[in-house]
Amino acid sequence: MEQSIRARIRAGDAEAFGQVFEDHARAVYRHAVRMTGDRTVAEDVVSLTFLEAWRLRARIAPEREDGAESLAPWLLGIAGNVIRNTRRAARRHQKAMAKLPPREVVPDFSGELAGRIADAEELAAAKAALERLRPAEREVFALYVWEGLDHAAVAEALGRPVGTVRSRLSRARARLRELTERELAAARSARAEQRGAPPAEQPGTPPGQRAGHRAAETAQRPGSTGQVPGDRTPAVRPTKETIR
């Protein structure tokens, strides 16, 4: 009887492990990019993940309860640990660097590149909102939504009960929608201020109140007569002209 891929990896089959790398390295890289936002760091995460996976190969469970053979959840769980360790190391490095004398700042051109994307504003808002999620919520969202794992696979990757995964995912989705809307509103308000335009009217403002705002603004302008453009009653025209 042919051994399962899990059994072969546990036995130290290098060829089988090489096949696992070919099958899942790209998924680990995508997950690392989304969680760190840095492609260079993501490449390091992939290397460290598979080194750690080989070291821990004897701990692979014989199979999942549902009989699934894929090792993606196990690998993504290891990648999550590697990312957390990488972040801790980065924080320690930043603290050490903060004690050094400041150096010349190199301009960041990422904003210019993002401006070439048609939906740059929405993408930026979503990215900022995602970064404001709690780490546990961001991780479960990335595994379920972006990597396409089911609840059981996410639970295996994180070492958490399925019920915990479901509740975290629900909170992450709700909070992500709320934060994205806030980021978009703030970005649009800032853009309006830069252009010198009046702030956007809040939905539900009565027409009379809007006209009052315009009248107040007009009256404050130098040389203004106090009349609001567009508020003058149209002159009565001959019937033929009106019908035409």
Side-chain angles (χ1 to χ4, degrees):
M1 180 178 179
E2 184 179 356
Q3 284 186 313
S4 69
I5 189 69
R6 289 173 177 252
R8 292 174 63 190
I9 296 298
R10 283 200 308 274
D13 188 330
E15 183 179 349
F17 191 79
Q19 184 60 50
V20 169
F21 179 87
E22 293 292 331
D23 292 343
H24 301 295
R26 189 176 297 276
V28 173
Y29 175 75
R30 286 197 308 265
H31 181 61
V33 169
R34 289 161 178 162
M35 295 301 294
T36 66
D38 189 315
R39 295 181 183 276
T40 301
V41 172
E43 291 174 357
D44 294 338
V45 168
V46 173
S47 300
L48 293 171
T49 294
F50 281 93
L51 284 172
E52 188 70 358
W54 179 254
R55 187 179 71 83
L56 300 174
R57 62 188 182 278
R59 301 184 186 179
I60 300 177
E63 62 180 11
R64 273 173 47 184
E65 293 182 0
D66 57 6
E69 277 288 304
S70 174
L71 289 172
W74 179 64
L75 291 169
L76 291 170
I78 293 175
N81 291 331
V82 169
I83 290 168
R84 283 186 282 274
N85 292 337
T86 300
R87 284 175 174 163
R88 282 193 289 268
R91 285 195 293 268
R92 289 195 294 269
H93 177 72
Q94 289 173 356
K95 289 181 180 179
M97 294 297 292
K99 299 177 182 179
L100 298 177
R103 60 182 180 178
E104 183 179 357
V105 177
V106 178
D108 182 4
F109 298 101
S110 59
E112 179 182 347
L113 295 176
R116 300 176 185 176
I117 303 175
D119 297 328
E121 190 174 83
E122 287 78 4
L123 290 173
K127 181 177 182 296
L130 188 64
E131 291 175 351
R132 291 177 59 187
L133 288 180
R134 298 180 180 88
E137 294 175 347
R138 184 167 64 248
E139 189 169 26
V140 74
F141 182 86
L143 291 172
Y144 184 84
V145 176
W146 283 328
E147 292 306 323
L149 301 184
D150 58 23
H151 292 99
V154 175
E156 179 184 354
L158 301 179
R160 302 294 184 193
V162 173
T164 300
V165 168
R166 291 181 184 274
S167 60
R168 283 185 183 178
L169 181 61
S170 177
R171 288 196 302 269
R173 282 174 163 167
R175 185 157 173 75
L176 190 60
R177 282 193 295 269
E178 177 187 351
L179 292 173
T180 301
E181 290 174 359
R182 288 183 184 178
E183 292 290 339
L184 277 173
R188 288 167 180 165
S189 177
R191 189 176 65 249
E193 291 179 3
Q194 289 176 354
R195 294 178 178 176
E201 294 170 347
Q202 296 297 324
T205 303
Q209 185 175 341
R210 291 199 296 267
H213 291 167
R214 290 196 298 270
E217 292 173 0
T218 304
Q220 293 173 0
R221 295 172 190 159
S224 172
T225 61
Q227 185 170 2
V228 180
D231 280 5
R232 178 182 297 177
T233 304
V236 178
R237 295 190 176 123
T239 304
K240 290 184 180 180
E241 182 179 352
T242 303
I243 295 174
R244 183 182 61 185

